[in-house]
């Protein structure tokens, strides 16, 4: 309706143009930028996009260098199952509670912060594993500054270790290797470092650029040094935030508590969140009634890199939802309502993520530069062969990136990575797990199955040359 009045053509003409392009729309449908560009083009118009009010406000709030002060790093711990992620998080949480918290019972709220022996703060996301990390990233949240990759020294660099490394690299988050379980007699940290070196990840003590620390999550050996290395990494990143403004942050987890209503754990990333603030998270808003730290202690405010439990939202936001504070309840409510409406409409929209068929359309409007691919296969040989051949399809206009490859079933974590990176998944002689399949449908991730390498290469080649015949 809006588009038709802007172009001064009838709504029916716009709707039929949409239909002829395969978009089934109603008169009040919200269209995405791409669709608007294509349809306007049909009527001879060129579209120029300006910022929304919400985005305008963002730019106004840019901080000056003087307003920025250093903030603590926010750390995620990832690694293979049973290599000691939970043990490490537990050790740090219990061993490093600050003096005035001592004796307080720490509880799991999804995040906590600790003070190192030199009085520096570090915040940890208390949900180990790259699934949570990538799920948040898929929702647009950028919350992790440093990733600790835990590897058991009595084991090997395992598939999930590789996945975790991959996820951190794709996100551009610096990694520190924590080589764990060195209290075990059969542990061999050097073997792990060698395996890492074979993957082109040379650790610092061997002349490389990656920090690593031998630790025991059981005895605590090396953990102070590990935290020092986290701080060193943080120093290089020059992490800063302005504490003197309305809070911004990310929801880490949220739940409905029988006695207390909706309880959300929020990682404040900039500004300061205060009791009484009007907060918006995803589609939910409300006045902050009370806040607690991870020891259950009541707090009145929380500055950058501080996790807090917040009471007072109208519902449970999702992990990864961005939080912001508004001056009036009306503003927050309006944005919450419009987000709800957009989400409702978008869930009816056609394609959220890239598919091979979609490439031709994106090429036509000139906004297709990169094809991200995840390859899973039954044997290493075919995965490598396929990956090599697909990489060679890159050309000046379109580059092909293999953002992850591995042997085995297509997992939920593969789908999440695809969603976060707008990738397609190629299964060579392997299929997705039931959960992965369901998630792929929900996230609209294309999974292509092949049993002949040649077929896979040809189809991708045709697609990036805009020659793919749509499948019916
Ligand atoms: P996660 O799956 O990565 O979270 O691993 P967990 O933290 O659950 O640890 C898996 C097992 O390894 C548990 O039985 C731990 O007690 C044990 N474990 C973890 N870290 C160490 C360590 O440093 N030394 C020893 N000896 N055992 C450890």
């Amino acid at each position: 309706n809006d588009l038709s009045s802007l172009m001064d053509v009838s709504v029916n003409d716009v709707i039929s143009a949409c239909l002829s392009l395969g978009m089934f729309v109603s008169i009040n449908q919200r269209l995405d930028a791409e669709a608007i560009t294509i349809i306007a083009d049909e009527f001879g118009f060129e579209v120029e996009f300006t910022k929304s009010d919400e985005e305008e406000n963002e730019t106004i709030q840019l901080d000056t260098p003087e307003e920025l002060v250093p903030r603590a790093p926010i750390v995620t711990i990832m690694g293979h199952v049973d290599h000691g992620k939970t043990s490490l998080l537990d050790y740090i949480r219990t061993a490093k509670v600050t003096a005035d918290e001592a004796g307080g019972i720490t509880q799991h709220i999804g995040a906590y912060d600790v003070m190192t022996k030199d009085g520096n703060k570090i915040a940890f996301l208390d949900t180990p594993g790259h699934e949570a990390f990538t799920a948040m990233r898929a929702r647009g949240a950028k919350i992790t500054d440093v990733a600790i990759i835990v590897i058991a020294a009595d084991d090997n660099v395992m598939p999930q270790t590789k996945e975790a490394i991959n996820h951190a690299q794709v996100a551009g988050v610096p990694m520190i290797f924590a080589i764990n379980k060195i209290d075990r007699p059969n542990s061999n940290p050097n073997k792990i470092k060698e395996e890492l070196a074979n993957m082109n990840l040379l650790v610092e003590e061997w002349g490389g650029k990656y920090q690593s620390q031998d630790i025991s999550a059981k005895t605590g050996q090396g953990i102070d040094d590990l935290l020092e290395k986290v701080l060193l990494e943080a120093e290089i990143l020059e992490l800063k935030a302005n504490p003197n403004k309305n809070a911004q942050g990310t929801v880490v987890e949220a739940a409905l508590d029988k006695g207390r209503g909706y309880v959300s754990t929020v990682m404040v990333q900039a500004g300061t969140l205060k009791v009484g603030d009007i907060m918006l998270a995803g589609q939910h808003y409300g006045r902050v009634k009370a806040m607690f730290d991870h020891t259950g202690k009541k707090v009145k405010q929380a500055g950058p890199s501080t996790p807090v439990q917040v009471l007072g939202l109208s519902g449970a936001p999702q992990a990864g939802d961005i939080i912001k504070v508004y001056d009036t309840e009306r503003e927050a409510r309006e944005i919450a309502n419009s987000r709800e409406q957009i989400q409702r409409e978008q869930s009816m929209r056609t394609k959220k993520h890239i598919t091979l068929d979609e490439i031709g359309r994106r090429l036509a409007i000139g906004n297709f530069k990169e094809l991200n691919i995840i390859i899973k296969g039954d044997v290493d040989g075919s995965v490598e062969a396929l990956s090599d051949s697909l990489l060679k399809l890159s050309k000046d206009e379109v580059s092909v990136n293999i953002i992850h490859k591995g042997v085995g079933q297509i997992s939920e974590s593969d789908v999440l990575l695809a969603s976060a990176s707008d990738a397609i998944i190629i299964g060579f002689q392997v299929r997705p797990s039931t959960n992965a399949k369901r998630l792929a449908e929900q996230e609209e991730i294309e999974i292509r199955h092949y049993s002949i390498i040649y077929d896979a290469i040809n189809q991708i080649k045709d697609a990036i040359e805009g020659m793919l015949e749509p499948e019916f």
Side-chain angles (χ1 to χ4, degrees):
N1 195 21
D2 289 344
L3 188 58
S4 75
S5 54
L6 280 171
M7 300 191 297
D8 199 18
V9 296
S10 82
V11 175
N12 280 342
D13 286 348
V14 173
I15 292 181
S16 7
C18 290
L19 286 177
S20 70
L21 291 162
M23 288 182 258
F24 297 90
V25 298
S26 67
I27 183 164
N28 290 320
Q29 181 121 5
R30 201 177 292 267
L31 301 168
D32 62 20
E34 237 177 276
I36 293 171
T37 310
I38 299 171
I39 295 156
D41 186 52
E42 292 282 305
F43 293 93
F45 287 93
E46 204 177 301
V47 183
E48 192 181 312
F49 291 93
T50 56
K51 286 187 172 146
S52 69
D53 290 350
E54 219 181 311
E55 284 167 321
E56 284 292 349
N57 287 338
E58 256 5 91
T59 43
I60 293 165
Q61 286 200 356
L62 271 187
D63 305 302
T64 63
E66 303 79 59
E67 288 172 324
L68 294 171
V69 297
R71 65 169 179 86
I74 303 171
V75 179
T76 298
I77 296 185
M78 307 198 266
H80 195 73
V81 63
D82 279 348
H83 278 197
K85 299 179 292 291
T86 313
S87 306
L88 179 58
L89 277 163
D90 288 348
Y91 184 90
I92 297 171
R93 183 174 36 198
T94 44
K96 299 286 162 200
V97 284
T98 52
D100 65 328
E101 293 172 356
I105 306 155
T106 60
Q107 44 185 347
H108 173 91
I109 65 163
Y112 64 79
D113 52 354
V114 297
M115 203 72 91
T116 66
K117 60 179 196 301
D118 302 325
N120 293 302
K121 233 180 73 170
I122 303 177
F124 285 88
L125 294 176
D126 198 2
T127 322
H130 53 269
E131 291 80 4
F133 172 77
T134 305
M136 284 212 195
R137 234 170 47 79
R139 306 189 58 76
K142 291 189 199 81
I143 186 167
T144 302
D145 301 308
V146 177
I148 294 180
I149 312 286
V150 176
I151 313 172
D154 62 347
D155 201 355
N156 295 296
V157 171
M158 297 295 280
Q160 278 178 286
T161 319
K162 288 185 187 163
E163 259 181 55
I165 292 171
N166 229 297
H167 286 229
Q169 283 179 326
V170 173
V173 171
M175 298 180 282
I176 300 177
F177 296 107
I179 307 193
N180 190 29
K181 306 198 188 183
I182 52 161
D183 59 288
R184 291 206 170 154
N186 56 339
S187 76
N188 187 353
N190 276 341
K191 195 185 87 191
I192 302 293
K193 288 166 201 168
E194 201 174 307
E195 286 180 44
L196 289 172
N198 289 337
M199 295 166 61
N200 256 332
L201 302 164
L202 202 58
V203 299
E204 226 169 24
E205 51 176 310
W206 289 14
K209 65 171 183 180
Y210 294 94
Q211 298 201 77
S212 92
Q213 178 63 45
D214 297 354
I215 62 158
S216 165
K218 192 176 166 192
T219 67
Q221 191 187 338
I223 289 181
D224 278 332
D225 294 325
L226 177 67
L227 299 184
E228 281 310 308
K229 288 183 178 171
V230 169
L231 291 170
L232 204 68
E233 203 68 55
E235 222 175 279
I236 299 166
L237 295 171
E238 293 188 28
L239 304 169
K240 285 182 180 156
N242 173 5
N244 299 311
K245 63 175 182 183
N246 281 345
Q248 293 165 15
T250 302
V251 174
V252 176
E253 59 177 49
L256 179 60
D257 182 295
K258 272 205 192 104
R260 301 190 292 172
Y262 290 100
V263 181
S264 323
T265 298
V266 166
M267 180 67 82
V268 179
Q269 290 170 279
T272 298
L273 187 63
K274 303 184 195 84
V275 171
D277 278 350
I278 295 154
M279 183 177 116
L280 174 74
Q283 300 165 25
H284 303 286
Y285 69 98
R287 197 175 278 278
V288 176
K289 277 198 281 195
M291 298 199 293
F292 303 90
D293 70 9
H294 73 272
T295 65
K297 198 175 76 188
K298 252 193 167 154
V299 291
K300 287 214 164 62
Q301 54 178 44
S305 302
T306 312
V308 271
Q309 260 194 329
V310 177
L311 304 190
L313 279 187
S314 58
Q318 283 181 284
D321 275 344
I322 310 296
I323 69 130
K324 275 180 77 173
V325 166
Y326 290 87
D327 293 330
T328 66
E329 191 150 338
R330 193 181 50 85
E331 268 180 290
R333 183 176 48 237
E334 274 170 12
I335 296 173
N337 290 346
S338 84
R339 282 188 184 164
E340 201 186 322
Q341 192 190 350
I342 291 173
Q343 209 227 347
R344 221 180 308 126
E345 286 166 5
Q346 280 187 342
S347 64
M348 305 187 315
R349 214 180 63 179
T350 40
K351 286 282 169 284
K352 193 160 93 185
H353 285 293
I354 192 74
T355 64
L356 284 194
D357 292 339
E358 168 95 355
I359 291 175
R361 201 165 71 80
R362 292 203 195 174
L363 278 174
I365 55 171
N367 73 348
F368 189 73
K369 300 273 177 290
E370 287 188 309
L371 175 59
N372 289 335
I373 299 177
I374 293 171
I375 303 175
K376 291 304 275 286
D378 55 344
V379 289
D380 210 35
S382 40
V383 170
E384 290 302 328
L386 190 53
S387 151
D388 286 349
S389 312
L390 291 180
L391 281 174
K392 284 191 196 126
L393 296 178
S394 288
K395 39 187 195 149
D396 290 345
E397 313 87 79
V398 180
S399 70
V400 176
N401 308 320
I402 310 297
I403 58 165
H404 177 57
K405 59 187 173 186
V407 171
Q409 209 181 24
I410 297 163
S411 65
E412 277 176 277
S413 126
D414 295 327
V415 177
L416 283 171
L417 181 62
S419 175
S421 320
D422 199 15
I424 63 163
I425 300 177
I426 292 182
F428 188 77
Q429 306 268 37
V430 292
R431 312 216 57 96
S433 67
T434 319
N435 285 343
K437 193 160 175 235
R438 192 171 34 79
L439 189 63
E441 277 162 17
Q442 189 186 318
E443 295 286 315
E444 293 170 9
I445 295 300
E446 180 169 51
I447 302 182
R448 290 249 168 178
H449 300 282
Y450 297 96
S451 45
I452 299 168
I453 290 186
Y454 180 78
D455 286 347
I457 297 164
N458 269 349
Q459 276 205 346
I460 307 278
K461 183 161 177 279
D462 284 352
I464 61 176
E465 283 169 1
M467 310 267 290
L468 192 73
E469 297 284 333
E471 278 180 16
F472 293 104

